[in-house]
Amino acid sequence: MTDGLVQIRRGREKPIRNRHPWIYSGAIAHAENAIDGELVDVVDHRNRWLARGCWNSKSQIQVRILTWQDEPIDDAWWRRMLLRAIKLRDNTAAGECSGRRLVNAENDFMPGLIVDRYADWHVLVAQTLFIDKRKERIVEALAAVTGADKVYERSDIAARAKEGLRPAVGPMRGGAPPALIEIEEGGVRFGVDIQGGHKTGFYLDQRENRRALAELVNHMRERAQDKLRLLNLFSYSGGFAISAGHFDAIHSINVDSSYAALELAEANFKRNGCDPDRRGASVEFIQADAFDYLRHCLDEGLNFDIIVLDPPKFAAGKADVQRAVRGYKNLNLNAFKLLENGGYLMTFSCSGAISRDLFQKIVFGALVDAGCEAQVIAQLGAAADHPVALTFPEGEYLTGLLLRVD
Ligand code: SAH
């Protein structure tokens, strides 16, 4: 038994028994000897043992459950859990890519811990105080399991503030990483900046959607008379347009508000044999607000064969949903207006607070206002190395649609 004890209010134990990993303060009757960032045992109102988790009084989510068995959370536990998560990736497309997510926090039953791998570098994100306090030991366990000797920390996510933590960024093993680490994904190469890039450096979660776009373009270009016009909005380091390939058959416009992201994108195009400075090359990088750029395209009477809309998270929580709905609607409405008949829209939301169902309704609303017709060709989500625990619906955040539009 561990020292801390948390007793659940009567009638609030069902989600815990059903293995939902979060316990909010409202479900807790009282806590004894519970230390922030340390283990607690969770019992029901009649003192029956339910689970073991970690405690943080500062967070709304006061307990995150690590196990439903009476087992120690020791180094052997970490090694076992890490190995289990890493092995799962071998059975997915991520297994063939040198950039992949190895640990997806609650969804891999290790609440608060993210580990991404880029070639021989590992990037760790400690989302909670519990993980933060033992990150060195977790890195030891990771090294024991994978031989990882190059580990960098990118614990600079906003959610750490809710745990009473400040950002923590820097080398953990193997010294300073190179400015760019090259990864390979389905024959395409990307330079990843794990120190200054977004998230841990790359949007690994979009891997299978980049592949879906590549497949679509493969088919489309066979029938196309002219160059296909691809508008890649919120392009970051160019992922979608570069994966689409066929640089001689596509004119891509990559739009992002971040100059640094577009610099990465340009370097990535070059890395894959498309030199934007070469005569006849048809790739553009535009630093702009995507909302403004869409209006500009409408004013100029431009049209596109494919539009990718992959905005950042518009809703961090329930309070932002209304504003987010307006944002998504505006983007999708203007995208519909700019598409050629028979064109394709690949549209996403990575706001966990916007359900798949709501997102589809928003896109439908935009479609009606644009006066278009559309068919769902595919429902899109995060790649298989970002699994969602069925017990943890909150783990699903990325939702998307591939639409054919008339
Ligand atoms: N599609 C990318 C990931 C996009 S992430 C990929 O597959 O890798 C969202 C991007 O939107 C970030 O690069 C961010 O810089 C950019 N961004 C945020 N707000 C923006 C805005 N208002 N207009 C244009 N770009 C924006």
Side-chain angles (χ1 to χ4, degrees), residues 204-263:
L204 293 167
D205 53 354
Q206 289 287 21
R207 180 190 312 103
E208 280 154 36
N209 303 321
R210 285 190 283 271
R211 181 189 287 201
L213 178 69
E215 205 171 293
L216 172 67
V217 163
N218 242 339
H219 297 302
M220 284 177 84
R221 86 188 162 93
E222 280 170 17
R223 289 173 291 103
Q225 309 281 313
D226 304 311
K227 278 194 173 183
L228 290 172
R229 292 151 301 169
L230 166 63
L231 179 57
N232 186 20
L233 289 165
F234 307 94
S235 65
Y236 186 51
S237 56
F240 279 101
I242 295 167
S243 297
H246 302 295
F247 304 119
D248 49 343
I250 298 179
H251 182 112
S252 75
I253 302 180
N254 298 276
V255 181
D256 203 285
S257 55
S258 154
Y259 185 77
L262 293 171
E263 277 190 326

Side-chain angles (χ1 to χ4, degrees), residues 107-169:
N107 299 293
D108 280 303
F109 315 105
M110 286 173 266
L113 176 67
I114 301 277
V115 181
D116 287 343
R117 181 174 182 162
Y118 299 104
D120 53 353
W121 279 88
H122 289 77
V123 184
L124 176 142
V125 185
Q127 298 175 323
T128 61
L129 179 63
F130 177 76
I131 298 293
D132 200 75
K133 279 178 133 178
R134 36 192 69 60
K135 57 194 175 192
E136 302 293 342
R137 279 176 57 191
I138 293 171
V139 168
E140 289 285 321
L142 182 69
V145 169
T146 66
D149 56 358
K150 295 176 181 144
V151 184
Y152 191 79
E153 179 172 19
R154 275 298 299 273
S155 301
D156 53 348
I157 52 158
R160 266 172 69 101
K162 295 184 186 166
E163 290 271 322
L165 289 166
R166 275 201 273 271
V169 169

Side-chain angles (χ1 to χ4, degrees), residues 18 30 34 55 92 109 169 175 185 188 225 247 278 281 312 314 317 319 332:
N18 287 344
H30 76 275
W55 171 257
T92 71
F109 315 105
V169 169
E185 182 185 282
V188 181
Q225 309 281 313
F247 304 119
R278 187 173 44 89
F314 285 164
N332 283 280

